[in-house]
């Protein structure tokens, strides 16, 4: 029994000392976790790590998941060329740790993003090219990161897809877009009851920064509005979950509980006041914006505001003609084409 105990201890010590195998190949799929301030954040890297180029998704939320961007189409049309890193932020997706509410804030999440990039460079080489692709809430998180100190030197380019960098401006632009389209659609007699309800709500909104309750209701109307246009490709997040939960091993319980917690956390109120427009002048790296023509959650005018204020000499703007807020699904071919063109132009 004594010898069995010794063998067990030695086995544990040897296994704990084994160096993790980091896969370099054209069809890699590996998961690791990045630790920071009591959070253990899941990162799934898939695709071509021999390319020395990584596209890092900065997902929406807070409290959503990068699971939802890992589509078959992206696997076939981006991962074949580059590696794609699907990072679950703290209190999101399959990330672990307790609720840790004191650290669920934008400054800490900005630190998280920087640490994720450092870990990617440690694993796959300090010379890899990292591109950020920010969606929705990921816009304000990536803007916070890029405009801080010399962080932008860690990446080669910034892709902004239907994302926000300024919440008060976002609310005003959403309201204006809804009012303009409501007036047009009412004249045409399209979805009259729905558009009249939206118009009444928008016309009764107070001036200034909206409360969280009012902003959430505005966001709900913005989400519904894209469904009233026949040009928009229908999209359902529940359909994505049903189709991929088993195939991609979604951590369904964790994802649900993280989302529920984050949606009711203090960060939701804190974000209402964030405005990074003035700090955009610090940005000098290449920037590309991709916005859905019928996105009312993050209207295309947000992208215009970004490009009008950065100091970058290389800027690009593209409208996704059949999209609302999820262009990576609703205009997936054009989305992947533009992303690949941008990366190809600015990777070494």
């Amino acid at each position: 029994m004594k010898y069995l105990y010794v063998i067990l201890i030695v086995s544990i010590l040897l296994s704990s000392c084994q160096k993790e195998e980091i896969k370099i190949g054209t069809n890699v799929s590996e998961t690791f976790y990045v630790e920071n301030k009591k959070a253990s954040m899941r990162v799934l890297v898939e695709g071509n790590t021999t390319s020395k180029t990584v596209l890092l998704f900065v997902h929406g939320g807070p409290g959503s998941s990068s699971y939802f961007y890992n589509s078959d189409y992206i696997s076939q049309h981006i991962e074949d060329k580059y590696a794609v890193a699907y990072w679950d932020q703290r209190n999101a997706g399959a990330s672990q740790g307790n609720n840790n509410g004191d650290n669920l804030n934008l400054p800490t999440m900005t630190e998280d993003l920087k640490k994720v990039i450092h870990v990617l460079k440690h694993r796959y080489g300090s010379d890899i090219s990292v591109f950020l692709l920010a969606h929705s809430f990921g816009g304000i998180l990536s803007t916070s990161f890029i405009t801080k100190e010399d962080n932008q030197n860690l990446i080669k380019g910034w892709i902004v897809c239907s994302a926000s960098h300024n919440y008060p401006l976002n609310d005003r632009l959403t309201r204006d877009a809804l009012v303009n389209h409501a007036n047009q659609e009412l004249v045409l007699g399209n979805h009259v009851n729905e558009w009249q309800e939206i118009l009444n709500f928008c016309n009764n909104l107070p001036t200034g920064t909206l409360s969280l309750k009012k902003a959430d209701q505005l966001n709900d109307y913005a989400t519904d509005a894209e469904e009233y246009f026949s040009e928009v490709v229908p999209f359902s997040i529940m359909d994505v979950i049903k189709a991929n939960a088993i195939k991609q091993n979604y951590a369904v319980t964790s994802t649900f509980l993280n989302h529920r917690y984050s949606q009711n956390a203090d960060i939701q109120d804190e974000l209402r006041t964030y405005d990074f427009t003035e700090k955009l002048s610090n940005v000098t790296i290449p920037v590309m914006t991709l916005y859905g023509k019928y996105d009312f959650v993050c209207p295309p005018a947000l992208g215009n505001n970004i490009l009008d204020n950065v100091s970058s000499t290389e800027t690009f703007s593209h409208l996704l003609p059949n999209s609302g807020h999820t262009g990576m699904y609703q205009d997936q071919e054009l989305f992947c084409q533009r992303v690949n063109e941008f990366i190809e132009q600015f990777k070494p």
Side-chain angles (χ1 to χ4, degrees), residues 280-291:
L280 286 172
S281 60
N282 298 331
V283 178
T284 58
I285 60 172
V287 181
M288 178 174 71
T289 62
L290 293 166
Y291 281 78

Side-chain angles (χ1 to χ4, degrees), residues 36 54 56-58 87 89 105-121 130-134 137-160 164-165 271 274-276 279-280 282-286:
N36 191 42
V54 178
L56 172 57
F57 272 92
V58 186
W87 164 48
Q89 300 156 19
N105 54 65
L106 191 60
T108 301
M109 298 176 81
T110 303
E111 292 177 23
D112 293 341
L113 176 51
K114 185 173 185 178
K115 192 161 188 178
V116 168
I117 293 172
H118 278 304
V119 171
L120 288 170
K121 288 178 176 286
V130 178
F131 291 81
L132 293 188
L133 197 158
F137 160 75
I140 209 157
L141 174 52
S142 61
T143 311
S144 174
F145 168 80
I146 288 173
T147 58
K148 184 177 181 181
E149 300 168 350
D150 60 351
N151 285 350
Q152 65 181 309
N153 293 336
L154 293 170
I155 62 176
K156 293 295 184 181
W158 183 30
I159 302 170
V160 186
S164 180
H165 63 289
L271 290 172
Y274 275 109
D275 171 359
F276 282 98
K279 290 189 176 183
L280 286 172
N282 298 331
V283 178
T284 58
I285 60 172

Side-chain angles (χ1 to χ4, degrees), residues 194-229:
E194 291 85 353
W195 282 115
Q196 189 62 60
E197 182 179 341
I198 289 173
L199 184 61
N200 292 342
F201 175 81
C202 290
N203 285 338
N204 285 300
L205 283 174
T207 58
T209 302
L210 299 182
S211 66
L212 179 58
K213 183 177 180 180
K214 290 289 187 182
D216 283 346
Q217 182 63 67
L218 182 65
N219 186 79
D220 288 343
Y221 281 126
T223 301
D224 292 341
E226 70 177 67
E227 298 178 4
Y228 305 146
F229 295 92

Side-chain angles (χ1 to χ4, degrees), residues 310-322:
V310 297
S311 298
S312 310
T313 57
E314 300 280 2
T315 61
F316 308 86
S317 174
H318 301 290
L319 202 61
L320 302 175
N322 304 299

Side-chain angles (χ1 to χ4, degrees), residues 32-173:
F32 56 90
Y33 288 80
V34 176
E35 310 281 338
N36 191 42
K37 292 188 176 178
K38 300 181 181 180
S40 182
M41 296 168 286
R42 164 192 171 268
V43 182
L44 168 66
V45 173
E46 291 197 332
N48 186 356
T49 54
T50 65
S51 67
K52 307 290 285 184
T53 302
V54 178
L55 177 66
L56 172 57
F57 272 92
V58 186
H59 67 69
S64 184
S65 173
S66 63
Y67 276 125
F68 308 136
Y69 306 106
N70 189 11
S71 69
D72 289 340
Y73 198 89
I74 287 177
S75 296
Q76 295 163 10
H77 294 86
I78 296 181
E79 290 179 10
D80 61 324
K81 301 173 185 65
Y82 319 109
V84 180
Y86 301 95
W87 164 48
D88 281 348
Q89 300 156 19
R90 63 176 55 239
N91 294 89
S95 290
Q96 303 170 4
N98 57 28
N99 288 339
N100 197 14
D102 291 343
N103 287 315
L104 184 58
N105 54 65
L106 191 60
T108 301
M109 298 176 81
T110 303
E111 292 177 23
D112 293 341
L113 176 51
K114 185 173 185 178
K115 192 161 188 178
V116 168
I117 293 172
H118 278 304
V119 171
L120 288 170
K121 288 178 176 286
H122 175 74
R123 291 178 66 89
Y124 304 109
S126 59
D127 60 337
I128 64 170
S129 299
V130 178
F131 291 81
L132 293 188
L133 197 158
H135 178 238
S136 203
F137 160 75
I140 209 157
L141 174 52
S142 61
T143 311
S144 174
F145 168 80
I146 288 173
T147 58
K148 184 177 181 181
E149 300 168 350
D150 60 351
N151 285 350
Q152 65 181 309
N153 293 336
L154 293 170
I155 62 176
K156 293 295 184 181
W158 183 30
I159 302 170
V160 186
C161 180
S162 294
S164 180
H165 63 289
N166 179 334
Y167 274 28
L169 174 63
N170 194 158
D171 288 341
R172 292 196 297 274
L173 292 176

